[in-house]
Amino acid sequence: MASQILAAGLQKVAVDATHSPEKSKKIAQLCPHIKDSMDKKARITSDYGVKETETDHWLKVVNEDKTGPALLEDPFAREKIMRFDHERIPERVVHARGSGAFGKFTLFESAEDVTKAGVLTDTSRETPVFVRFSTVLGSRGSADTVRDVRGFAIKFYTDEGNWDIVGNNIPVFFIQDAIKFPDVIHAGKPEPHNEVPQAQTAHNNFWDFQFMHTEATHMFMWSQSDRAIPRSYRMMQGFGVNTFTLVNAKGERSFVKFIFTPELGVHSFVWDEALKLAGQDPDFHRKDLWEAIENGAYPKWKFGIQVIPEAQENDFEFDILDATKVWPEELVPIRYIGQLELNRNPDEFFPETEQVAFCTSHVVPGIGFSDDPLLQGRNFSYFDTQLSRLGVNWQELPINKPVCPVMNNNRDGAMRHTIQKGTINYWPNRFDTLPPSTAQEGGYVDYPAKIAGIKARVVSKKFKEHFNQAQLFYNSLSQVEKNHVINALGFELDHCDDPLVYKRMCDRLAEIDLNLAQEVAELVGGEIPQEAKRVNHGKKSKGLSQFDYMPATPTIATRRVAILIADGYDPIAYNGVKAALTAAGALPFTIAPKRSKIYSANEDKSGTGVFPDHNLEGMRSTMFDSIYVPGGARSVETLRKSGRALHWVREAFGHLKAIGATGEAVAFISDACQLPGIQVSSSGDVVNSYGVVTASQVTPHSFKETVQMAKGAKDFV
Ligand code: HDD
């Protein structure tokens, strides 16, 4: 991938100081563990350090023909095979597929009024982080672009210990109580009898569960929205989802939700694109993250908190400890106080991204839990799952190790790394080793919450209200987003072949919005409801529609633009637009019928030519955000005759992508997209018609304009 990026004409940034070992405590800590597999001086040894002379042939007893039985005595062969046999560990039971990166967290405003946590109060700190993004339901080898919730897990290596936010890109959850987690996941995962379908919720069991649990209604509306098909991990929000608490130096407690909002805005695929990419490039999101970081286009998120003082806990119509509810911004504004930046790709996937282990129970002084019943159960589950994934000493693995000192009398267990000398392994002891820390010394103090009650398996009244916010979410979407929800439900329920499942779900939708229910019922063959089962309250809230997160200044930075050429292309247009795109931070890729030299209209085969990044068959339009076709009579004629080139243009148009064309290519685009009414200005000015940006003549102005208009083009319409 890296060479592809450089081939695209971009300069790889020099490693900047922000993620160098001198600056990041975590990278400095990892350095002694990092070996270079490309080291030209290193010789192959066994695991026990003996240099090997041969790694390709098992030791045998041979006859004159050099054939004969292999000897079990060969320690090198046995070690190699044995190590291979044990390469796999259990994949995560959920969120198995993911990718991660290192970065830093900085604060621009102290939150000391509500917390004493150093990571949220010390504005001079750079806290190292490792972030892992993931899908939920698919196996480790499944595709990135499926319709699913995305995990957004952050490990902050703070000076006071590790703090993990194990969040998602959707602010609510399917269930309210952790005891239901195995059920919701069993229902969403492939069905047990035939292990079908992979990484999809489009099946009977998932939708049966949704019907049986009205508490899931709000969340499934989010999962059927464009949020569940993000364009990039870099373009989605992150939410801690659960309600945590903050405690300040005065000992006052507040309830808090954590939010990350991407600098690039929130963007999604259109469904057809996501579906196709799942086959054409299952690693699309993984590569996208890697590529951006390699190019120095570091993804950034604003970090915000929503805070409710303890005394106001019961002031809301919903329970603030219910993970199926958002805290509407009109009631609890988001206070943005920091920034998350990812700036370094891992060196090796398995020891870093696969072995990283998050726990919601990892909090630092100044941050605590609430009685959110989902969070309480999660605090048990994550620690437990790491035991089966990684073993009891998982916190000693380099990626999981805190950057501050760790000292206690937990001992032994499989794969123990630390060697603690001395004669004692308990406290207190006759040697008067130091006691645990006081609060003043930075010790974690549990908030002395008053609890009185009886043991019971019940929920409070407010937890039983399940529809208000499902309506709030739907009402707050733009018409386009609503259409996408209708089509998504149309797809999902069409894949359910049990009429009980899809018919009942259509009834359920009538509890949210009548029009939604009618449209979906018609699509999937349900009874078309004639009246709403519940009155839609008509309320809206900001921050729920993705359009609320369009950056104030639209940017084409980090977007992938395909430039389609063939022999005889117009070099002025090609070079001009390519340079303008690069200057704007976009990633231009040259695509031609063959990955061999392509010559412009101004040169013959003795010219320098252009070496394309890919041929038309190797890539698809889905892998790019936009395409540009320069003029040049011969080039355009060749593209016109290529079915694949036509498909590129039509598909990009169908996916509502910005398309640019100049000179002879304008007519080609207009014919390919069957847009007889496409406007072309004869003066050379740029015209934007149906998202197709054209200029009949090429001027420096038109290059700039092309880029400008592509910037303004929406990801989805
Ligand atoms: Fe979970 C993994 C997010 C509820 C049990 N979860 C996992 C990961 C993310 C989330 C991002 C992947 C972490 C990584 O990259 O390694 N989970 C959530 C969110 C939830 C949630 C936002 C609702 C607010 N999870 C939840 C519940 C339970 C679990 C209620 C169990 C009672 N989750 C797990 C797990 C996983 C996990 C089984 C699998 C791998 C792991 O923990 O480390 O323990």
Side-chain angles (χ1 to χ4, degrees):
M1 181 51 99
S3 59
Q4 243 177 37
I5 299 159
L6 295 178
L10 289 163
Q11 291 296 312
K12 187 176 188 305
V13 282
V15 174
D16 86 42
T18 53
H19 54 274
S20 67
E22 300 77 50
K23 206 70 182 174
S24 165
K25 284 187 191 166
K26 187 62 198 175
I27 302 303
Q29 186 198 49
L30 287 175
C31 275
H33 298 279
I34 300 173
K35 286 194 223 165
D36 185 358
S37 61
M38 319 276 269
D39 181 352
K40 289 271 167 54
K41 294 196 199 104
R43 308 305 295 261
I44 292 182
T45 74
S46 67
D47 279 344
Y48 50 93
V50 171
K51 282 188 190 145
E52 296 186 31
T53 50
E54 240 279 15
T55 57
D56 295 344
H57 297 98
W58 199 301
L59 189 65
K60 296 189 207 79
V61 180
V62 292
N63 58 25
E64 298 103 53
D65 299 334
K66 303 217 166 135
T67 59
L71 289 173
L72 204 55
E73 88 172 41
D74 184 346
F76 301 130
R78 277 197 338 255
E79 180 189 88
K80 189 171 171 184
I81 297 296
M82 179 272 285
R83 285 300 306 272
F84 174 76
D85 290 344
H86 296 269
E87 277 181 8
R88 292 289 169 270
I89 60 169
E91 68 172 30
R92 288 168 175 83
V93 58
V94 281
H95 296 265
R97 178 163 184 84
S99 61
F102 292 95
K104 63 177 180 183
F105 176 75
T106 45
L107 270 188
F108 46 78
E109 181 191 313
S110 167
E112 63 195 7
D113 53 324
V114 286
T115 179
K116 62 180 179 187
V119 61
L120 298 180
T121 53
D122 183 351
T123 51
S124 66
R125 276 195 200 183
E126 268 186 16
T127 303
V129 296
F130 187 81
V131 176
R132 183 173 177 274
F133 303 107
S134 47
T135 54
V136 181
L137 293 175
S139 298
R140 228 186 113 179
S142 58
D144 283 347
T145 62
V146 297
R147 174 176 297 282
D148 198 354
V149 179
R150 296 299 184 285
F152 194 127
I154 306 125
K155 190 178 283 296
F156 299 79
Y157 303 96
T158 87
D159 292 350
E160 294 81 19
N162 288 352
W163 172 36
D164 297 348
I165 296 182
V166 200
N168 281 341
N169 73 331
I170 288 178
V172 288
F173 204 61
F174 290 108
I175 48 167
Q176 298 171 316
D177 188 318
I179 201 167
K180 297 288 320 170
F181 191 68
D183 299 308
V184 65
I185 297 303
H186 285 169
K189 284 264 188 186
E191 296 191 359
H193 58 301
N194 58 3
E195 227 194 25
V196 173
Q198 178 57 238
Q200 287 189 45
T201 51
H203 59 108
N204 290 324
N205 281 3
F206 177 80
W207 286 105
D208 187 30
F209 183 96
Q210 302 306 304
F211 179 79
M212 302 303 291
H213 296 81
T214 46
E215 72 202 67
T217 311
H218 187 197
M219 175 70 166
F220 84 61
M221 289 298 288
W222 281 82
S223 77
Q224 298 310 296
S225 78
D226 296 322
R227 299 276 185 153
I229 40 171
R231 154 66 180 80
S232 161
Y233 292 139
R234 303 175 293 121
M235 299 171 201
M236 59 186 204
Q237 287 187 291
F239 302 92
V241 182
N242 290 119
T243 300
F244 285 82
T245 53
L246 296 176
V247 178
N248 65 15
K250 288 189 244 162
E252 296 160 339
R253 186 166 81 144
S254 320
F255 295 95
V256 67
K257 285 208 188 268
F258 301 114
I259 295 135
F260 296 86
T261 295
E263 191 189 46
L264 294 169
V266 180
H267 304 275
S268 296
F269 291 122
V270 290
W271 178 228
D272 187 59
E273 231 182 327
L275 267 181
K276 287 176 172 165
L277 270 176
Q280 291 165 346
D281 191 356
D283 306 304
F284 188 86
H285 283 150
R286 189 175 278 199
K287 287 183 186 168
D288 169 274
L289 180 66
W290 186 277
E291 180 180 271
I293 294 174
E294 287 300 297
N295 283 323
Y298 300 145
K300 295 188 183 74
W301 288 261
K302 278 188 299 173
F303 168 74
I305 50 177
Q306 280 181 299
V307 179
I308 298 178
E310 197 175 35
Q312 292 167 21
E313 175 178 358
N314 298 315
D315 290 1
F316 302 86
E317 65 170 18
F318 53 89
D319 195 311
I320 67 164
L321 305 183
D322 176 356
T324 67
K325 306 289 188 323
V326 291
W327 296 358
E329 285 183 47
E330 293 79 8
L331 303 178
V332 192
I334 303 178
R335 179 174 157 195
Y336 284 104
I337 59 169
Q339 180 178 272
L340 172 72
E341 172 187 298
L342 297 182
N343 53 28
R344 182 185 164 110
N345 280 315
D347 286 302
E348 194 182 359
F349 188 90
F350 182 84
E352 298 182 307
T353 310
E354 190 59 19
Q355 293 203 128
V356 69
F358 299 89
C359 288
T360 49
S361 56
H362 286 173
V363 290
V364 290
I367 304 172
F369 313 119
S370 71
D371 290 340
D372 170 345
L374 196 70
L375 175 60
Q376 298 271 327
R378 291 182 76 194
N379 285 344
F380 167 75
S381 183
Y382 289 76
F383 198 94
D384 186 45
T385 208
Q386 311 312 350
L387 297 180
S388 70
R389 249 177 19 95
L390 303 164
V392 68
N393 281 309
W394 58 272
Q395 307 210 58
E396 289 192 317
L397 292 169
I399 190 68
N400 295 322
K401 219 173 169 173
V403 294
C404 59
V406 172
M407 201 330 259
N408 56 42
N409 293 306
N410 298 337
R411 294 291 163 107
D412 306 350
M415 302 298 154
R416 175 73 166 166
H417 285 42
T418 308
I419 302 167
Q420 258 170 265
K421 61 182 187 177
T423 62
I424 52 121
N425 51 7
Y426 55 91
W427 188 90
N429 55 60
R430 66 191 183 281
F431 298 102
D432 288 337
T433 58
L434 288 176
S437 310
T438 61
Q440 289 69 32
E441 290 167 330
Y444 189 93
V445 181
D446 294 287
Y447 181 75
K450 269 197 198 144
I451 313 275
I454 52 159
K455 290 184 191 173
R457 296 180 188 272
V458 290
V459 285
S460 75
K461 198 167 155 226
K462 285 183 185 173
F463 268 68
K464 290 184 188 154
E465 194 294 301
H466 299 150
F467 293 98
N468 278 345
Q469 291 207 352
Q471 292 181 343
L472 186 75
F473 174 69
Y474 191 65
N475 295 345
S476 305
L477 298 182
S478 62
Q479 190 53 52
V480 168
E481 291 169 300
K482 284 183 180 171
N483 293 346
H484 289 178
V485 170
I486 293 167
N487 288 338
L489 283 162
F491 177 95
E492 296 268 317
L493 296 180
D494 183 70
H495 282 66
C496 300
D497 55 11
D498 186 339
L500 190 63
V501 172
Y502 61 81
K503 286 189 171 166
R504 291 204 305 199
M505 274 313 299
C506 295
D507 287 348
R508 174 58 43 76
L509 297 177
E511 302 208 46
I512 304 167
D513 184 86
L514 182 59
N515 180 256
L516 165 76
Q518 289 172 332
E519 298 262 3
V520 174
E522 193 169 2
L523 278 175
V524 306
E527 305 285 331
I528 299 182
Q530 294 311 312
E531 53 192 61
K533 290 209 151 179
R534 186 179 300 267
V535 177
N536 186 328
H537 54 56
K539 289 185 206 150
K540 295 182 180 183
S541 176
K542 74 168 180 174
L544 304 183
S545 160
Q546 291 188 205
F547 284 103
D548 293 346
Y549 298 98
M550 288 294 167
T553 319
T555 176
I556 199 169
T558 77
R559 295 297 189 142
R560 297 163 61 86
V561 183
I563 306 182
L564 268 45
I565 58 167
D567 284 326
Y569 69 90
D570 171 355
I572 298 174
Y574 170 80
N575 290 319
V577 170
K578 190 171 173 185
L581 287 167
T582 308
L587 309 179
F589 292 82
T590 302
I591 315 286
K594 53 189 180 179
R595 193 160 71 175
S596 306
K597 272 195 179 172
I598 302 291
Y599 299 93
S600 77
N602 294 355
E603 58 188 348
D604 58 23
K605 298 226 158 153
S606 63
T608 49
V610 161
F611 197 76
D613 297 296
H614 296 286
N615 66 43
L616 281 165
E617 282 300 327
M619 294 278 129
R620 291 291 186 273
S621 82
T622 44
M623 295 155 190
F624 300 87
D625 295 290
S626 177
I627 60 177
Y628 167 63
V629 190
R634 264 194 305 130
S635 169
V636 170
E637 207 36 47
T638 307
L639 295 176
R640 258 184 197 281
K641 286 188 191 142
S642 155
R644 181 60 66 204
L646 272 173
H647 181 244
W648 264 75
V649 173
R650 285 183 183 155
E651 191 178 49
F653 184 71
H655 291 154
L656 309 156
K657 291 177 177 168
I659 299 178
T662 48
E664 291 87 344
V666 176
F668 165 52
I669 298 290
S670 128
D671 294 348
C673 303
Q674 296 176 335
L675 274 178
I678 196 168
Q679 295 170 40
V680 185
S681 130
S682 52
S683 65
D685 282 352
V686 174
V687 175
N688 185 352
S689 176
Y690 302 102
V692 179
V693 182
T694 58
S696 54
Q697 293 164 29
V698 175
T699 63
H701 173 68
S702 70
F703 301 143
K704 233 178 101 200
E705 283 288 294
T706 306
V707 173
Q708 204 58 37
M709 287 207 184
K711 275 185 196 176
K714 298 256 183 318
D715 282 285
F716 50 90
V717 181

